[in-house]
Amino acid sequence: GGLFMFFIAFSHIAFLNIITATFVNKAMELAKPDKDALALEKRASEIEDYEDLWALCVSLDTDGTNYISLERFENEIRNGMLGPRLAMLGLNVIDAQHFFD
């Protein structure tokens, strides 16, 4: 009698464990972001970076010529906050200097 009761209890627990694992696995699959959502998120991040870089360039164009000279750029690197602002955008100062090559 006791062994049979243990077998029944163990079988029920194993069955419930399998059912629970199935539900958890399905929930994990549904919670995972799909490729379209990841692509949209990456695109939104790129647009935000573009807008930040554009605003940075506009702020450097103090004379309104729509042109930033290499001298102005280097001066802002040495004396201003341009280096850290470029770093926040994921750009190295050396990478940014390639715009003038």
Side-chain angles (χ1 to χ4, degrees):
L3 187 59
F4 182 69
M5 291 301 281
F6 174 75
F7 173 75
I8 296 295
F10 182 79
S11 297
H12 278 101
I13 291 171
F15 178 72
L16 290 174
N17 192 20
I18 291 170
I19 298 295
T20 302
T22 302
F23 282 116
V24 168
N25 190 32
K26 186 65 174 175
M28 293 296 286
E29 286 179 17
L30 291 174
K32 199 183 319 178
D34 63 346
K35 290 181 181 181
D36 291 336
L38 291 173
L40 284 173
E41 184 177 316
K42 181 167 176 34
R43 180 67 178 141
S45 175
E46 288 174 349
I47 289 171
E48 184 178 334
D49 289 345
Y50 164 78
E51 290 171 348
D52 290 345
L53 184 58
W54 182 262
L56 179 62
C57 290
V58 168
S59 72
L60 291 176
D61 180 29
T62 55
D63 56 3
T65 60
N66 292 330
Y67 177 79
I68 303 167
S69 68
L70 178 58
E71 294 78 25
R72 168 94 170 132
F73 179 80
E74 289 175 340
N75 187 40
E76 286 296 320
I77 291 290
R78 281 191 299 273
N79 302 327
M81 294 295 295
L82 186 57
R85 288 178 70 187
L86 288 173
M88 286 175 40
L89 294 172
L91 295 172
N92 189 329
V93 172
I94 294 185
D95 295 333
Q97 285 178 330
H98 288 300
F99 290 127
F100 296 97
D101 291 341

